[in-house]
Amino acid sequence: MSDTSTLTAGEYISHHLTHLQTKPMAGVIDFSVVNIDSIFWSVLLGVVGSFFLWRAARTATSGVPGRFQAAVEILFEMVDTQARGIVHNAQSRKLVSPLALTVFVWIFLLNSMDFLPVDLFHKLFEWTGLDHSIHSFRVVPTADLSTTLGLSVSVLLICLFYNVKIKGLGGWLHELTTAPFGAHPLLWPINFGFQMIEFLAKTVSHGMRLFGNMYAGELIFMLIALMGSAAALSLTGILLPIAHIIAGSIWAVFHILIVALQAFIFMMLTLVYIGQAHDTH
């Protein structure tokens, strides 16, 4: 791992935006590289989030709830209320509501990794000697496009499942070829093309929205960290260190809203797309 103190600003940002990856397979370029850091944090935080939700359900009592149980109940009621307003099939909500809750908690935890100090793990690797084998490591999975698109593709697969379950395979195929312009045979290819474009656009925009916001937030934290590095090297300047502290504090507070809002938006779009899968045209 390179000594970050000797890097230029551009090299510093490029270094922190590089993933810990597997080596590409011979003759395979596009899909053979895996971002190990994104998978590690996604799985770990998924397990942590699921554990806390399971713990809340297991220890729930009918009496006066504790603070943890009350927080989970408020969160569940919020998600369930949104699900009831969008997905009107009560049977589907038995799966969709817990799914939406899991999505919100999981993405909130993934986004929250952005609050860790930028150089935390790089310094830990230097202190433990792991920097010789781990040259790059990112800790915000939702700032990785492969992660967010993977989540949005998973939502697409769930929508396809409900399209077939609710409408039947024949009914869904009929909808693909007759909506939105009508059932005339000459319009079937056009209708089908528009339907495919709609599925593709929703999936790409679903993942890109989350990625864009978290990637931008990560960049801003790096720029603030660079301001702190410049402040540390400046013996006479006093405004830069003060600006670094103020900017970091303000952005951290503001970013709390972004972290929660992006998790909420992703969850709501998941509910909307699943709700649309229940509707007939």
Side-chain angles (χ1 to χ4, degrees):
M1 179 179 293
S2 303
D3 184 1
T4 55
S5 63
T6 63
L7 300 177
T8 65
E11 291 172 340
Y12 177 86
I13 292 177
S14 177
H15 173 73
H16 283 76
L17 292 180
T18 303
H19 286 280
L20 175 63
Q21 298 178 324
T22 59
K23 295 182 179 180
M25 297 172 58
V28 181
I29 299 177
D30 294 335
F31 302 104
S32 62
V33 177
V34 176
N35 294 338
I36 300 174
D37 42 17
S38 294
I39 293 178
F40 171 79
W41 287 115
S42 297
V43 173
L44 176 62
L45 294 176
V47 171
V48 170
S50 298
F51 171 77
F52 279 109
L53 292 176
W54 171 81
R55 183 69 177 175
R58 185 176 178 83
T59 59
T61 62
S62 57
V64 178
R67 287 178 293 180
F68 177 64
Q69 180 181 335
V72 174
E73 287 180 355
I74 291 172
L75 182 60
F76 176 79
E77 289 176 4
M78 181 271 292
V79 174
D80 189 59
T81 299
Q82 299 298 330
R84 288 176 181 274
I86 297 173
V87 181
H88 304 295
N89 188 307
Q91 186 65 30
S92 295
R93 284 200 305 271
K94 293 180 179 180
L95 173 63
V96 173
S97 292
L99 172 66
L101 178 62
T102 303
V103 166
F104 177 83
V105 172
W106 192 19
I107 294 181
F108 179 83
L109 292 176
L110 296 178
N111 293 349
S112 297
M113 295 299 292
D114 214 4
F115 294 121
L116 295 178
V118 173
D119 291 310
L120 173 62
F121 285 95
H122 296 82
K123 293 300 182 182
L124 288 176
F125 294 151
E126 290 179 8
W127 294 337
T128 57
L130 293 175
D131 56 317
H132 298 293
S133 56
I134 301 178
H135 302 285
S136 302
F137 194 75
R138 294 181 66 181
V139 298
V140 188
T142 44
D144 178 5
L145 186 58
S146 62
T147 300
T148 58
L149 285 182
L151 291 169
S152 63
V153 168
S154 299
V155 174
L156 172 64
L157 295 177
I158 294 172
C159 291
L160 297 180
F161 167 77
Y162 275 109
N163 269 298
V164 175
K165 180 180 179 180
I166 300 299
K167 304 164 188 176
L169 181 60
W172 182 47
L173 293 176
H174 179 267
E175 180 180 279
L176 289 177
T177 54
T178 59
F181 298 119
H184 194 283
L186 292 178
L187 296 175
W188 290 356
I190 299 175
N191 290 328
F192 184 80
F194 269 86
Q195 291 277 357
M196 294 300 104
I197 292 174
E198 180 182 355
F199 280 119
L200 179 63
K202 289 193 296 186
T203 301
V204 173
S205 64
H206 199 191
M208 287 290 292
R209 179 181 288 104
L210 177 60
F211 161 74
N213 282 278
M214 298 312 302
Y215 188 83
E218 190 178 28
L219 280 177
I220 292 177
F221 273 122
M222 290 178 191
L223 293 174
I224 294 174
L226 283 172
M227 187 186 299
S229 298
L233 295 175
S234 176
L235 298 178
T236 58
I238 188 173
L239 294 180
L240 193 58
I242 294 175
H244 168 67
I245 296 173
I246 295 175
S249 301
I250 293 176
W251 180 246
V253 172
F254 180 69
H255 204 60
I256 294 174
L257 301 177
I258 295 177
V259 163
L261 181 61
Q262 290 306 314
F264 179 77
I265 290 175
F266 195 95
M267 179 205 73
M268 287 300 297
L269 289 175
T270 299
L271 288 174
V272 168
Y273 294 156
I274 294 177
Q276 291 176 347
H278 287 69
D279 299 332
T280 57
H281 296 282

